[in-house]
Amino acid sequence: ADRSVQVCGAFGVGGNVDIQGSNDGENWFTLTGLTGHDLEFTTGGISMIAEITQYIRPVVTAGDGTTEINVIILAKGF
């Protein structure tokens, strides 16, 4: 409950954003929400992030020339 991701903007045709995490910066995996769903967005939305990883990145895996997406990640510092 200490991390969330918000995705919004123009997804274009087939636009998709995959939220990935890594602890070593080399091997990346799709993160999940608190209900176990993969954090893959095809429309705007907000979700909690279940895993705690050292690195988090958004990856746009599809779209077209009109795709313009903003990703905001909020994490509580410890």
Side-chain angles (χ1 to χ4, degrees):
D2 296 328
R3 294 152 310 283
S4 65
V5 59
Q6 175 179 314
V7 180
C8 55
F11 282 73
V13 176
N16 184 69
V17 178
D18 185 21
I19 305 301
Q20 299 179 345
S22 173
N23 286 326
D24 62 12
E26 288 186 36
N27 299 290
W28 294 88
F29 303 93
T30 300
L31 297 176
T32 58
L34 294 182
T35 61
H37 63 282
D38 285 349
L39 291 179
E40 296 180 338
F41 293 85
T42 56
T43 62
I46 190 167
S47 182
M48 301 301 291
I49 301 172
E51 298 87 2
I52 298 173
T53 58
Q54 184 171 359
Y55 306 103
I56 299 175
R57 71 179 182 187
V59 177
V60 178
T61 58
D64 62 15
T66 65
T67 301
E68 186 175 336
I69 299 171
N70 295 308
V71 178
I72 301 167
I73 296 173
L74 179 64
K76 179 181 175 183
F78 295 97

